[in-house]
């Protein structure tokens, strides 16, 4: 089926679970952003160019760059951070419970928790940590999109936030060049010096993009997971009694509660037959995770939240060569947040109805902007 798109053209939309996985694993579909061959009115600073981010590249560039980051995003590396994340979650909840009045769990727990997880991943030194924490705070105060969605930053708070993060990343790279260690950024600096990156701008752009990808969807997903579990008190109570159920609950909220309403965008690099239709070279394909996750052939009663659902072959983290590098860490973050909350606050409940929880809209993200709770 074809639909009109924001690019001024039509696009095919793929919804079935089998076809979604086929498209995402088919090298004949390019991840490059549609229309990126056009000449821009003003040259884009290569440190801020979204068209060259890892998620929008094909081999060989995608293969080259993914290899440089992959070693820091293994399940073992994520597990190494779990105790530190649990400690930070506990400290944040200490602040939450200081007052029995309704508290905003989004601003007091979710955003700072995922922020700290990201800074731990980067091993941000103490001297730079205040700048990253300040970025996190300002980021969520200015996330709603401006009327003008493009640069310059003075009229677009989203672009301004990205620019501020990039400057923090540049400071971190400079710090690790002067004070190298056994950490992700020091390793990337060594790769730059040995030719793994084309130049300094490519390193800055890719690392900033990875930070956004590690932080933005996960902060939304942690909020959505908490919101969804609290919306069904029986499920939340079950997690309190049986913490061993948390891993399967995490997989189910990943399936049921996507943090964005935008699917994966692909462009046919040649004519491709798929699902009984011919997608012509150059045509856009929107790969719908939502559609895949509502496929009753794969997920019986797909609209139901079933925290015992097994197997759960969702595509929340994508599929194929662009499968999310940060999936292991995201799973640990969601599970840690739910584990600490259910242990510390078994009587936690939403102040408002699920429908009344305000959502974010910038970056097409749908996580809770505010999550008022009481206990």
């Amino acid at each position: 089926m074809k639909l009109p798109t924001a690019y001024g053209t039509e696009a095919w939309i793929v919804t079935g679970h089998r076809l979604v996985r086929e498209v995402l694993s088919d090298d004949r579909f390019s991840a490059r952003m549609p229309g990126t061959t056009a000449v821009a009115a003003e040259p884009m600073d290569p440190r801020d160019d979204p068209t060259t981010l890892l998620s929008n590249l094909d081999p060989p560039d995608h293969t080259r760059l993914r290899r440089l980051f992959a070693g820091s995003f293994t399940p073992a590396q994520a597990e190494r951070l779990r105790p530190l994340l649990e400690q930070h979650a506990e400290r944040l909840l200490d602040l939450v419970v200081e007052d029995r009045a309704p508290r905003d769990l989004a601003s007091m727990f979710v955003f700072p928790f995922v922020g700290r997880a990201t800074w731990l991943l980067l091993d941000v030194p103490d001297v730079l940590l205040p700048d990253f924490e300040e970025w996190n705070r300002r980021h969520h105060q200015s996330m709603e999109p401006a009327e003008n969605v493009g640069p310059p930053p003075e009229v677009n708070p989203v672009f301004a936030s990205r620019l501020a993060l990039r400057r923090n990343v540049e400071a971190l790279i400079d710090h690790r060049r002067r004070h190298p260690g056994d950490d992700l950024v020091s390793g990337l600096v060594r790769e730059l010096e040995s030719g793994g990156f084309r130049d300094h701008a490519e390193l800055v752009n890719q690392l900033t993009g990875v930070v956004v990808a590690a932080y933005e969807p996960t902060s939304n997903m942690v909020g959505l997971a908490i919101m969804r579990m609290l919306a069904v008190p029986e499920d939340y109570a079950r997690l309190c009694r049986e913490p061993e159920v948390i891993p399967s609950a995490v997989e189910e909220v990943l399936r049921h509660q996507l943090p964005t309403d935008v699917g994966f965008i692909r462009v046919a690099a040649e004519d491709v037959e798929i699902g009984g239709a011919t997608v012509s070279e150059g045509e856009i394909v929107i790969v719908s995770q939502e559609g895949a996750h509502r496929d009753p052939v794969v997920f019986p009663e797909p609209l139901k939240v079933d925290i015992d659902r097994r197997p759960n072959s969702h595509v929340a983290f994508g599929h194929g060569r662009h499968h999310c590098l940060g999936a292991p860490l995201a799973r640990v973050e969601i599970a840690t947040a739910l584990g600490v909350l259910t242990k510390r606050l078994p009587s936690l409940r939403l102040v408002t109805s699920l429908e009344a929880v305000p959502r974010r809209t910038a970056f097409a993200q749908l996580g809770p902007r505010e999550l008022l709770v009481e206990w």
Side-chain angles (χ1 to χ4, degrees), residues 41-245:
E42 295 184 10
M44 173 72 73
D45 188 321
R47 297 172 299 174
D48 302 313
D49 187 355
T51 69
T52 58
L53 291 177
L54 185 62
S55 58
N56 297 322
L57 292 178
D58 298 326
D61 285 337
H62 177 267
T63 307
R64 170 177 62 87
L65 291 169
R66 186 179 176 101
R67 178 189 63 79
L68 302 180
F69 287 92
S72 297
F73 289 88
T74 64
Q77 289 288 79
E79 286 299 327
R80 182 181 62 83
L81 294 178
R82 190 188 292 267
L84 298 174
L85 293 176
E86 290 173 346
Q87 292 171 17
H88 188 58
E90 292 280 4
R91 287 194 294 269
L92 289 171
L93 283 186
D94 288 342
L95 299 175
V96 170
V97 301
E98 283 182 351
D99 190 335
R100 294 290 299 215
R103 308 292 254 174
D104 176 16
L105 213 58
S107 63
M108 295 191 70
F109 180 79
V110 174
F111 301 150
F113 171 72
V114 178
R116 181 54 62 92
T118 309
W119 316 148
L120 286 170
L121 171 68
L122 297 175
D123 198 13
V124 175
D126 291 343
V127 68
L128 296 179
L129 195 56
D131 293 334
F132 280 86
E133 297 285 11
E134 178 66 9
W135 173 84
N136 189 10
R137 186 183 67 80
R138 290 182 178 273
H139 180 65
H140 288 285
Q141 291 179 348
S142 62
M143 276 306 300
E144 299 313 305
E147 291 183 9
N148 184 339
V149 296
E154 58 266 20
V155 297
N156 186 338
V158 173
F159 188 82
S161 179
R162 207 278 184 185
L163 188 61
L165 176 61
R166 186 255 283 170
R167 288 168 177 158
N168 285 346
V169 167
E170 288 180 304
L172 177 59
I173 292 171
D174 181 63
H175 179 89
R176 288 307 180 195
R177 181 179 284 112
R178 291 181 288 108
H179 306 284
D182 184 22
D183 59 90
L184 167 61
V185 179
S186 294
L188 295 177
V189 169
R190 287 191 286 271
E191 290 287 356
L192 172 65
E193 293 168 348
S194 64
F197 291 96
R198 289 199 176 100
D199 51 32
H200 178 76
E202 184 177 57
L203 168 57
V204 171
N205 192 35
Q206 296 301 331
L207 184 55
T208 306
V210 165
V211 173
V212 172
Y215 176 81
E216 190 62 41
T218 309
S219 64
N220 284 275
M221 198 62 240
V222 170
L224 287 168
I226 296 169
M227 181 188 76
R228 175 50 63 179
M229 290 299 98
L230 291 177
V232 183
E234 295 81 3
D235 283 345
Y236 187 79
R238 172 101 182 277
L239 298 187
C240 294
R241 296 191 312 269
E242 304 173 46
E244 65 273 13
V245 179

Side-chain angles (χ1 to χ4, degrees), residues 254-266:
L254 283 166
R255 180 195 71 85
H256 195 273
Q257 295 287 313
L258 285 172
T260 177
D261 61 356
V262 177
F264 297 107
I265 308 297
R266 296 290 185 265

Side-chain angles (χ1 to χ4, degrees), residues 354-375:
L354 180 65
E355 294 72 23
V357 173
R359 303 293 191 93
R360 299 173 62 206
T361 56
F363 286 141
Q365 298 291 325
L366 302 176
R369 178 164 45 87
E370 181 183 73
L371 195 59
L372 292 178
V373 297
E374 57 189 5
W375 57 95

